[in-house]
Each structure stands twice: as structure tokens, then as C-alpha cells.
Amino acid sequence: MKIILVGKNLEDIRPLLAARGFVEDSAAPELVVAHGGDGALLGAARAYPDLPLLPIRDARTAPLCPAHECGIQLDAFRAGDTPLTRMPKVCGTVRNVTLCALNDVFLHNHDLSSALRYRVRINGELYANEVVGDGVGIASVHGSTAYYKSITHSVFRVGIGLAFSNSTEEVSHLVLDSSSVIEIEVVRGPGILIADNAPERPLVSEGELVTFRQSEAGAEVYGLENFMCPACRALRHPSPQPRPSGWLF
């Protein structure tokens, strides 16, 4: 099978791929193998939007449980036993620039010492006349377990999530229908538009609009459940150590 291999510590996985008939071929690839962590998957989805992805965590930095050792995952894929998941993407547009993301797209304050002021419309109706905070953005279902969760302390399973980061007003985070269109008008800025870990970050000036929505495009990912395995995660993030004696709080 012809593949593109991306990520880190590729010398660890290359021999395993070669032994199973995977051939690196950037001219006519059939699959992208992303070896690494979440960032490798996000980058691969952005760089190769038209190819299916097989993400496998790098065991050096993300230990794998016995069921998901790299060789076992590759054998299962070659045997046709790895489920394929179609993952929706979200996007943000300012002027003629559209950024798409597997996790989330956020409008953030450009100057870290100055809050962003913005107005929010959902499906053409005013939701908030002015919000002051660090930023606002939308997340996909997959992204709901990432930055969205750190802001809202919640996750969702359907639709798209709208989150407000460190807003001074009492404004509710929302889970909206996937067909919803959110317009953010910068009242005081500038802001920057950020999509996942993309290096492109366009400036958004005062008076400009950012339009958020679910993208028409998605990503096809093999073995997503393996990649998100709770047992593997427990090895990466073990339970906190007991507090020392005499600890008061």
C-alpha cells in the first residue's frame, strides 16, 4: 500500500511499515500514516484533506497499552479490521480566507494585555451585543474534548459547540445544530483567527466579521477509537501521587 508518513520519531515505525508492505510514495499515496500525538493528527488532516488517515501514537512520548502496540495496529489495518470514521470539520472565514480544523477554530485577542470586544449573531439573530474576553470560537464533536472542554468543563456528542473564553459578561456557552452559522463582529481589536495548530493566523481588524460554521468537508480516520483509547491515556496521565503527610489542602 502506498502511503505518506508524517509525525515524529519516524525511524521507530518505518521498519514496521516496510515489513507489512507499506511503501512511502508521495506521488500517488492512498493513505496518510500520522505517527505522533494529537498535533500530528491535526497537521495531517490539514495538509492532506483528500486522503484517509491512520493515526498511531508515538510510543516514546505516549505509551501504548498492550492491545494497541504499533505492530498490532498495523496488522489489524492490513487485515481490514480497523474501523473507518468520518469526522466533521469546522471552519472560520474572514475576508476571503477560510481556515478549517478537525478540533476547533477560535478568534482570539491579538494583544494578550488587552481584551477583545465582539458582537455575536447566530443564524442572523443577535445573541450578544458586546462581549469582552480573550476569544470566542467553535468546536467539532471531536474538538469538544479539547480546548472547548477546558473552557466550558463539558463535552457534547452532536452539533457544534460555541465557547466564550474568559468573558467578563455572563454569556452561556452553546451547543448548536450543525447547520448553524455564527457571525462574530470585532468591536475592538484586532484579533487573530486560529484553527487547530495551523501556522496561518490572519489578523481580524475592528469592524470585520468572522463567520463560523461546520465545514462541508470532513476527514476519514482509521482506528480513531484506538488513538483515543482510555487505557493508553491512563499510561500517559497516571493518577496523581498521594499528598505528603502534613498537607493541609
Side-chain angles (χ1 to χ4, degrees):
M1 186 177 208
K2 298 178 180 179
I3 67 168
I4 290 177
L5 179 61
V6 298
K8 60 188 300 185
N9 297 324
L10 300 184
E11 63 274 15
D12 293 351
I13 193 174
R14 271 200 171 101
L16 300 175
L17 289 165
R20 290 162 176 81
F22 293 91
V23 178
E24 292 184 58
D25 185 345
S26 59
E30 303 166 87
L31 176 75
V32 179
V33 178
H35 186 243
D38 293 353
L41 172 59
L42 299 179
R46 180 175 63 253
Y48 304 100
D50 299 323
L51 289 173
L53 311 172
L54 174 62
I56 297 178
R57 293 197 182 273
D58 165 32
R60 291 200 210 178
T61 55
L64 302 174
C65 73
H68 295 135
E69 292 177 0
C70 186
I72 293 175
Q73 292 193 62
L74 294 176
D75 288 338
F77 179 83
R78 292 300 281 168
D81 295 332
T82 305
L84 178 65
T85 301
R86 180 170 177 80
M87 302 173 62
K89 293 183 178 181
V90 290
C91 62
T93 301
V94 59
R95 300 182 297 277
N96 60 344
V97 178
T98 297
L99 302 182
C100 292
L102 203 57
N103 269 0
D104 46 53
V105 185
F106 269 79
L107 174 66
H108 270 287
N109 52 334
H110 181 264
D111 183 353
L112 298 182
S113 65
S114 179
L116 186 70
R117 292 179 182 264
Y118 55 90
R119 186 169 293 120
V120 183
R121 293 183 179 87
I122 301 173
N123 297 325
E125 296 185 5
L126 184 66
Y127 177 70
N129 188 54
E130 186 171 282
V131 182
V132 180
D134 290 346
V136 56
I138 64 168
S140 67
V141 170
H142 182 69
S144 76
T145 62
Y147 187 32
Y148 178 91
K149 182 179 179 181
S150 72
I151 295 173
T152 69
H153 305 291
S154 64
V155 298
F156 57 91
R157 299 303 180 198
V158 294
I160 54 178
L162 178 62
F164 303 90
S165 178
N166 289 329
S167 61
T168 57
E169 289 74 21
E170 291 186 3
V171 58
S172 297
H173 312 297
L174 299 173
V175 178
L176 302 168
D177 184 87
S178 59
S179 63
S180 299
V181 177
I182 303 102
E183 291 180 318
I184 307 298
E185 178 185 353
V186 175
V187 176
R188 186 186 73 189
I192 52 172
L193 192 62
I194 300 173
D196 285 346
N197 55 356
E200 184 181 10
R201 297 179 177 182
L203 197 70
V204 184
S205 301
E206 292 180 8
E208 289 192 307
L209 288 177
V210 176
T211 303
F212 292 125
R213 67 181 74 210
Q214 182 168 295
S215 174
E216 294 181 359
E220 294 187 332
V221 182
Y222 283 99
L224 184 62
E225 290 187 0
N226 298 345
F227 192 72
M228 303 298 292
C229 169
C232 293
R233 180 177 177 82
L235 294 174
R236 300 194 301 275
H237 305 286
S239 299
Q241 295 296 319
R243 291 177 176 176
S245 58
W247 189 274
L248 298 179
F249 300 100

